[in-house]
């Protein structure tokens, strides 16, 4: 699929078919993550691929809005060693986007569950909860969880309304960019 078509057609999918994702496709998703750029090539990330139904159900309770993980055939938890890089958030965000775009290009659906700076309940952060469920060491921070599978819903491609040209300035903030 042509790259700009992937960008226009990719949508967050939260409902999945009851169908496993072949390991070859999971490997492709991970390869796309490894190809992501990182600051000073430090590559601070570590991924946890989860296909265990009970763990997926537990992860679906990490925070509000994570329930789609309960039906996802797999989830990829994006973590990073914060002692390796002060920009682990940026590096990991690029990786997470690579995974989502690659999932769509491979005929899969995916959605991002934000974990960093979100709460599981009034006393525990979503990150602490995920860390407990998956046994993640303290120096690894959890950015997000990407639910992945074969889509059980269809969404239309993005239309022209997403192009917010008024949010682009030319040479100086506030000087409108003219799309010619």
């Amino acid at each position: 699929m042509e790259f700009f078509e992937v960008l226009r057609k990719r949508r967050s999918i939260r409902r999945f078919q009851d169908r496993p994702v072949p390991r070859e496709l999971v490997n492709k998703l991970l390869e796309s993550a490894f190809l992501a750029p990182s600051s000073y090539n430090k590559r601070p990330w570590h991924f946890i691929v989860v296909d265990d139904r009970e763990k997926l159900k537990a992860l679906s309770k990490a925070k509000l809005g994570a329930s789609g993980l309960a039906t996802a055939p797999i989830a990829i938890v994006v973590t990073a060693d914060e002692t390796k890089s002060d920009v682990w958030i940026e590096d990991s965000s690029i990786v997470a986007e690579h995974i989502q775009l690659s999932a769509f290009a491979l005929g899969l659906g995916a959605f991002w569950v934000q974990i960093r700076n979100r709460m599981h309940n009034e006393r525990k952060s979503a990150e602490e909860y995920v860390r407990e469920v998956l046994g993640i060491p303290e120096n690894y921070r959890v950015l997000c969880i990407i639910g992945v599978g074969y889509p059980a819903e269809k969404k239309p491609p993005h239309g022209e309304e997403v192009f917010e040209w008024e949010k682009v300035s030319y040479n100086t903030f506030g000087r409108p960019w003219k799309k010619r």
Side-chain angles (χ1 to χ4, degrees):
M1 188 177 297
E2 198 260 327
F3 182 70
F4 288 98
E5 185 181 5
V6 169
L7 292 177
R8 191 179 279 268
K9 290 183 175 180
R10 191 219 63 84
R11 300 294 301 269
S12 291
I13 299 297
R14 291 178 175 81
R15 290 189 0 240
F16 302 97
Q17 298 174 27
D18 184 17
R19 179 177 163 197
V21 176
R23 185 169 290 254
E24 305 82 59
L25 294 184
V26 177
N27 287 341
K28 286 279 189 199
L29 296 175
L30 295 169
E31 288 172 7
S32 77
F34 296 137
L35 292 170
S38 68
S39 178
Y40 294 103
N41 203 30
K42 289 186 177 179
R43 307 162 59 82
W45 47 68
H46 185 93
F47 311 110
I48 304 167
V49 178
V50 180
D51 67 358
D52 178 273
R53 292 277 17 120
E54 292 307 309
K55 286 192 187 301
L56 287 165
K57 284 179 187 170
L59 291 174
S60 77
K61 297 174 182 157
K63 63 162 227 144
L64 213 57
S67 61
L69 293 172
T71 63
I74 67 160
I76 300 175
V77 182
V78 178
T79 75
D81 184 345
E82 70 177 342
T83 66
K84 278 190 171 181
S85 175
D86 64 335
V87 291
W88 68 269
I89 296 167
E90 292 83 352
D91 289 347
S92 299
S93 295
I94 296 168
V95 161
E97 181 65 1
H98 271 222
I99 292 168
Q100 290 182 92
L101 291 172
S102 297
F104 182 79
L106 292 169
L108 301 168
F111 75 108
W112 171 307
V113 176
Q114 178 68 24
I115 297 299
R116 189 184 71 82
N117 289 346
R118 298 297 184 260
M119 295 301 291
H120 167 67
N121 60 31
E122 293 173 3
R123 295 180 310 283
K124 184 183 289 188
S125 73
E127 186 172 15
E128 291 169 315
Y129 176 83
V130 172
R131 184 178 268 108
E132 289 172 8
V133 169
L134 300 176
I136 300 169
E138 284 297 318
N139 59 309
Y140 281 85
R141 299 293 308 275
V142 182
L143 177 74
C144 66
I145 304 171
I146 309 291
V148 181
Y150 290 96
E153 62 181 324
K154 190 168 174 78
K155 294 183 176 179
H158 292 286
E160 296 293 317
E161 73 279 356
V162 301
F163 301 130
E164 300 175 292
W165 295 106
E166 71 279 3
K167 292 185 178 180
V168 181
S169 296
Y170 182 59
N171 286 329
T172 305
F173 189 92
R175 182 176 176 205
W177 171 260
K178 302 255 194 269
K179 181 185 172 200
R180 296 179 187 174

